[in-house]
């Protein structure tokens, strides 16, 4: 019943329902996760984080649990910890097997080894706030690469898995991309935002040809079209300035 109460915005009833479920079964990760969701709706992030961590402890290989932990930490301004949690979400998703061990509400999606562009974009944004532009750029590139699938994903995907593993992960080997093509996400809002960031980064660093390429691709994406057109005009002005005597 707790999920229905959350949807109805009846947070008090949702909390009571989830607490009763936890009293009956302390290992009911759905109830712990539901409590986290409810307190997040109330913007009580410290409470939400505690409950999300309980859920993640019960479902350590469920990416949805770690994504909730990471997003909550981000809202609390704890970016370094948030990045680690979101990397755990990527690691968990690499083990995802459609219909087997999936969390409630995950929709039975089959990832096929492709990483979630939304999580990659979120990690990149957190690195940017930490003023680590090199890491931010790397994750933006990786986000865009998900459009085409694993054939275009670089070796940094393996590093995500390795540096997110904790001491209780020793029994499992991280998965590298499978190399199977044709299972990309296609253009999404997340990949378009990452492409725009990379285009502006290329402008700042004087790589105008790369900026033009990315901006032109954005014009075709249909997501950031107006900003992309403005960027194309700006790149042309810069290039003309370089070519003039």
């Amino acid at each position: 019943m707790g999920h229905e109460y959350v949807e109805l915005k009846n947070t008090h009833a949702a909390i009571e329902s989830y607490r009763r479920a936890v009293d009956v079964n302390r290992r009911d990760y759905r109830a712990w996760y539901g409590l986290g969701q409810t307190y997040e709706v109330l913007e009580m992030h410290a409470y939400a984080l505690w409950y999300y961590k309980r859920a993640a402890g019960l479902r350590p290989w469920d990416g949805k649990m770690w994504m909730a932990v990471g997003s909550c930490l981000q809202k609390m301004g704890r970016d370094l910890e948030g990045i680690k949690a979101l990397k755990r979400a990527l690691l968990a998703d690499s083990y995802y097997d459609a219909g087997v061990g999936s969390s409630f509400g995950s929709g039975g999606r089959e990832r096929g080894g492709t990483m979630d562009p939304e999580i990659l974009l979120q990690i990149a944004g957190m690195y940017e706030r930490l003023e680590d532009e090199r890491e931010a750029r790397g994750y933006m590139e990786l986000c865009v690469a998900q459009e085409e699938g694993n054939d275009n994903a670089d070796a940094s995907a393996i590093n995500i898995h390795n540096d997110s593993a904790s001491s209780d992960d020793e029994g499992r080997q991280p998965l590298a991309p499978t190399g199977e093509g044709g299972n990309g996400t296609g253009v999404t809002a997340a990949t378009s935002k990452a492409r725009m960031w990379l285009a502006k980064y290329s402008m700042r660093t004087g790589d105008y040809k790369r900026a033009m390429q990315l901006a032109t691709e954005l014009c075709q994406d249909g997501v950031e079209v107006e900003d992309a057109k403005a960027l194309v005009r700006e790149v042309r002005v810069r290039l003309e300035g370089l070519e003039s005597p």
Side-chain angles (χ1 to χ4, degrees):
M1 285 295 293
H3 311 320
E4 287 78 7
Y5 285 131
V6 171
E7 291 176 2
L8 293 170
K9 307 297 183 184
N10 189 344
T11 53
H12 177 74
I15 289 170
E16 289 301 314
S17 178
Y18 286 130
R19 287 194 186 281
R20 284 196 296 271
V22 166
D23 288 339
V24 172
N25 180 7
R26 303 291 291 179
R27 298 190 63 80
D28 185 352
Y29 74 94
R30 295 175 180 84
W32 292 113
Y33 181 85
L35 281 166
Q37 278 188 310
T38 308
Y39 278 107
E40 193 166 16
V41 168
L42 295 170
E43 297 187 0
M44 299 173 70
H45 300 302
Y47 285 97
L49 177 62
W50 192 85
Y51 290 117
Y52 281 145
K53 283 185 173 180
R54 289 297 298 265
L58 292 168
R59 299 277 294 185
W61 295 103
D62 191 330
K64 184 175 181 178
M65 305 296 116
W66 289 109
M67 188 172 181
V69 171
S71 297
C72 198
L73 285 164
Q74 181 187 25
K75 291 173 184 175
M76 297 172 71
R78 294 162 61 178
D79 286 329
L80 278 174
E81 295 170 81
I83 287 168
K84 184 177 180 180
L86 290 177
K87 287 181 179 182
R88 284 292 298 266
L90 290 173
L91 174 60
D93 279 346
S94 72
Y95 286 99
Y96 189 91
D97 184 10
V100 179
S102 59
S103 65
F104 70 100
S106 59
R109 56 186 177 161
E110 185 167 0
R111 304 195 62 83
T114 302
M115 289 177 282
D116 189 332
E118 290 286 349
I119 298 179
L120 293 168
L121 180 66
Q122 200 171 350
I123 292 173
M126 293 163 85
Y127 272 123
E128 185 178 22
R129 282 192 297 277
L130 292 170
E131 299 182 353
D132 189 340
E133 198 167 61
R134 185 181 67 84
E135 288 290 338
R137 177 177 174 272
Y139 280 93
M140 291 294 186
E141 294 279 10
L142 199 53
C143 179
V144 172
Q146 302 314 299
E147 291 179 349
E148 301 298 329
N150 291 321
D151 285 347
N152 285 349
D154 60 29
S156 62
I158 302 173
N159 294 333
I160 288 173
H161 298 158
N162 287 338
D163 66 14
S164 64
S166 62
S167 59
D168 61 347
D169 301 331
E170 293 175 357
R172 296 177 182 261
Q173 290 297 317
L175 294 184
T178 62
E180 297 173 0
N183 59 349
T185 64
V187 175
T188 69
T191 61
S192 290
K193 288 177 182 176
R195 185 175 275 107
M196 176 60 78
W197 188 95
L198 289 167
K200 291 179 178 178
Y201 172 84
S202 297
M203 283 289 290
R204 291 199 308 273
T205 56
D207 189 353
Y208 299 129
K209 289 185 178 179
R210 170 77 165 148
M212 177 63 83
Q213 175 197 342
L214 291 165
T216 302
E217 290 172 358
L218 279 165
C219 290
Q220 299 167 356
D221 288 352
V223 179
E224 302 271 356
V225 176
E226 293 305 316
D227 289 341
K229 287 180 178 178
L231 192 58
V232 167
R233 290 192 293 269
E234 186 179 351
V235 173
R236 284 175 179 163
V237 170
R238 298 283 183 92
L239 288 172
E240 288 171 2
L242 290 175
E243 292 170 359
S244 60

